[in-house]
Amino acid sequence: MRATVKDVARLAGVSPGTVSNTLSGARNVDAETRRRVEAAVAQLGYVPNLAARRFRTGVSNTIAVMTSMSPAVSAGSSRLGFLMEVAASAAVSALEHNATLVLVPPVADPAAALRNVAMDGAILIEPSEDDPFLELLLRRGVPVVIIGDPPRDGLAWIDMHYRATANMLVGHLLEQGARCVPLMIGASARRSYAEAEAAYRGLLQAEGLEAHVIRIPEALGEDAAHQAMLGLLKDLPALDGVFVPVDAFATGVMRALRDAGRAVPDDVKVATRYDGLRAREERPAITASNLHLDRIAALAVDRLVQLVAGTAAPLRIDGPLPTLVPRGSTLSSTLRS
Amino acid sequence: MRATVKDVARLAGVSPGTVSNTLSGARNVDAETRRRVEAAVAQLGYVPNLAARRFRTGVSNTIAVMTSMSPAVSAGSSRLGFLMEVAASAAVSALEHNATLVLVPPVADPAAALRNVAMDGAILIEPSEDDPFLELLLRRGVPVVIIGDPPRDGLAWIDMHYRATANMLVGHLLEQGARCVPLMIGASARRSYAEAEAAYRGLLQAEGLEAHVIRIPEALGEDAAHQAMLGLLKDLPALDGVFVPVDAFATGVMRALRDAGRAVPDDVKVATRYDGLRAREERPAITASNLHLDRIAALAVDRLVQLVAGTAAPLRIDGPLPTLVPRGSTLSSTLRS
């Protein structure tokens, strides 16, 4: 026979309500009572009947994390990217709130991905302007926190400082001496691209330089960026730098430069946004920005817990500012060591 | 008013039971019926009442993934490791079975981590001999699939070929000319260490070489490995190689070699097991093995779904054999290019 909450209460010498309060993480339980309840739980091997509690309360104590970014860009063969870095930190933060983290993988059919997921709230990473996950979540009435600029008003979000990030990276390319620097971004409508483009155009205009913006469908991934870069090298013989915020595209760009016999960084300097495995593994490694995703994830979980509890808070939460991670793709070898 | 299963059935022209079968992924629904039900679900914005269904059926359609390995070893500051690589692949495989994946982070209190997690089954990565997660799961009666050798009989497991992996890596160090090659492993009781040690002792004995086994508490992480390696370099002046299966320890070993002014690979050759971020990021990068974790994770999810459904299958499932990833930490520069 499985132990019940009454068995735990009897052994601990408290009421069943106190047992429930203790296990649900309520704050008004004193340390000594908590210790007695936890000892009784351990001794009896008590496990709460979660399905019954969830049915009764409507609370599943679950947070889901997802991104609509194409798997061609968000995952890659090693599957170690932005999404997983956020998910790992969010899982730890969720646990601190007595919640569990469900990982919704990036797949072609968001409706199928969400259909069997019970959740109290969702963290949506960098949604597109007509994000399918966002539509589904809002239709279900699930509280949502967006990581990055939200595609519409009225949503809670963590500001990752898109424009400051792009300013920092494009500014760095110009400081390192690049004068003909195209921007290569994804073709979908995303606030991160729009902000990167605005920052890029502003900086180039201020320097009297010509802007060149290339858009690549995300689903085509690295290979499309490789092809596009080969074309750019033909069209812009003076090209001596490129800003490629999407790291999967940056890998394709580096391959194109090798194929075309152009040296990085001496002939062409390359910078990307996310300092993930792709940026670190290239030879030379690619200059990027530390986005402090662990702190971003923790802020998103904290905000989501507030939302689910109905606690008032401003919609925009200020995230940490990114920091530059300069590497061999922009620093000439004399500067590096 | 939220749409109900009856509304969907009426619009699709089928029975409510057929709607349930279609949404639960049952195989006996023909394609045309499935299409009509899915169109009606989309049109009405229908979301199943998951809490009610779970309470009724006792099935949560959830798979949990966890490891008891210390965060000092399993995560690290970037949190991109073994656990996350398995979790990412398992999330995709789970979705193919209409299940969702819960990520249980490695934390100090496994009981607290599991208390609020509803699950039909669990994947446990490389448990120790007295694994706290395993005890908790078995006590709850949760079906479990172990990745790696199981610590006791009667459990379903995916064979990662511990001994073959260690044989391959130690054999490679010896082939590259190393003759005084200690083994540095974790101090906890794990089958992966025991098998690595058996392979190591066997190979060294066959070559008439002396074995030196060093055990480091996992919770002390990289720094303890750094200290231990400095000690080894004093105690074994002839040391010219080291096998460090735990990648966090390998990072500490590389640092100690730099501090001691010993060149890698010319003075000392280093090999580790898991080809993760730590192995790839070192300078020189560390020789490791591709464990094919994506395929291992998919096998574990498939096996777990069978277990939950009560389908008979052998306890041991054969995983893919690891492949050597030779790198600068064992290949002298003349061989590399």
Side-chain angles (χ1 to χ4, degrees), chain B residues 289-303:
Chain B
S289 57
N290 183 345
L291 300 170
H292 306 291
L293 292 181
D294 52 343
R295 285 157 61 197
I296 300 257
L299 287 170
V301 170
D302 289 350
R303 185 66 185 91

Side-chain angles (χ1 to χ4, degrees), chain A residues 20-287:
Chain A
S20 291
N21 288 341
T22 305
L23 297 183
S24 67
R27 300 230 167 105
N28 58 350
V29 179
D30 66 73
E32 167 57 19
T33 303
R34 182 175 300 278
R35 198 199 55 71
R36 284 218 311 276
V37 169
E38 286 174 354
V41 164
Q43 189 178 329
L44 297 171
Y46 169 73
V47 178
N49 185 334
L50 294 170
R53 187 169 79 202
R54 279 160 197 195
F55 183 56
R56 205 170 59 236
T57 63
V59 174
S60 61
N61 278 108
T62 300
I63 287 172
V65 169
M66 67 205 73
T67 175
S68 71
M69 186 67 94
S70 161
V73 161
S74 61
S77 63
S78 73
R79 296 191 188 283
L80 296 172
F82 204 102
L83 168 65
M84 295 310 293
E85 197 170 343
V86 171
S89 295
V92 176
S93 297
L95 181 58
E96 287 163 3
H97 292 286
N98 282 311
T100 58
L101 187 108
V102 162
L103 184 60
V104 180
V107 291
D109 184 352
L114 286 185
R115 193 169 293 135
N116 288 304
V117 181
M119 61 187 122
D120 299 324
I123 294 171
L124 179 56
I125 300 172
E126 305 210 299
S128 61
E129 295 290 331
D130 55 350
D131 198 276
F133 278 116
L134 186 57
E135 296 306 317
L136 291 161
L137 293 166
L138 295 179
R139 201 192 287 167
R140 257 167 84 165
V142 173
V144 179
V145 171
I146 309 285
I147 288 184
D149 292 16
R152 66 174 76 169
D153 291 341
L155 297 170
W157 60 293
I158 313 297
D159 191 344
M160 293 183 72
H161 304 284
Y162 286 149
R163 198 172 292 216
T165 309
N167 265 321
M168 179 178 74
L169 290 160
V170 176
H172 173 75
L173 286 166
L174 299 178
E175 277 161 24
Q176 296 301 312
R179 310 313 286 164
C180 178
V181 186
L183 167 68
M184 186 183 289
I185 51 178
S188 65
R190 286 178 195 273
R191 294 295 301 271
S192 59
Y193 298 151
E195 293 291 315
E197 183 172 343
Y200 165 80
R201 289 189 184 276
L203 277 181
L204 266 71
Q205 192 170 18
E207 298 271 333
L209 301 172
E210 202 179 339
H212 305 275
V213 179
I214 318 299
R215 291 169 219 281
I216 314 272
E218 282 95 347
L220 302 183
E222 182 184 328
D223 288 338
H226 174 256
Q227 283 303 315
M229 190 65 193
L230 290 177
L232 267 178
L233 289 169
K234 286 206 184 99
D235 297 346
L236 297 171
L239 185 151
D240 58 1
V242 55
F243 178 39
V244 198
V246 177
D247 64 344
F249 293 167
T251 307
V253 162
M254 294 291 281
R255 184 151 54 88
L257 290 167
R258 278 193 295 275
D259 292 351
R262 304 291 284 270
V264 176
D266 294 340
D267 298 339
V268 180
K269 299 182 200 326
V270 181
T272 190
R273 183 176 71 124
Y274 167 52
D275 185 31
L277 201 57
R278 286 174 178 273
R280 299 170 190 216
E281 280 220 323
E282 271 296 334
R283 292 293 168 272
I286 308 176
T287 291

Side-chain angles (χ1 to χ4, degrees), chain B residues 47-134:
Chain B
V47 178
N49 185 335
L50 294 170
R53 187 169 78 200
R54 280 159 196 193
F55 183 55
R56 204 171 59 237
T57 63
V59 173
S60 61
N61 278 108
T62 300
I63 287 172
V65 169
M66 66 205 73
T67 175
S68 70
M69 186 67 93
S70 162
V73 161
S74 62
S77 64
S78 72
R79 295 191 189 283
L80 295 173
F82 204 101
L83 169 65
M84 295 310 292
E85 196 170 345
V86 170
S89 295
V92 175
S93 296
L95 181 58
E96 287 163 5
H97 292 285
N98 281 312
T100 57
L101 187 109
V102 162
L103 184 60
V104 180
V107 291
D109 184 352
L114 286 185
R115 192 169 293 134
N116 288 303
V117 181
M119 60 187 126
D120 299 323
I123 294 171
L124 179 56
I125 300 172
E126 305 210 298
S128 61
E129 295 290 332
D130 54 351
D131 197 274
F133 278 116
L134 185 58

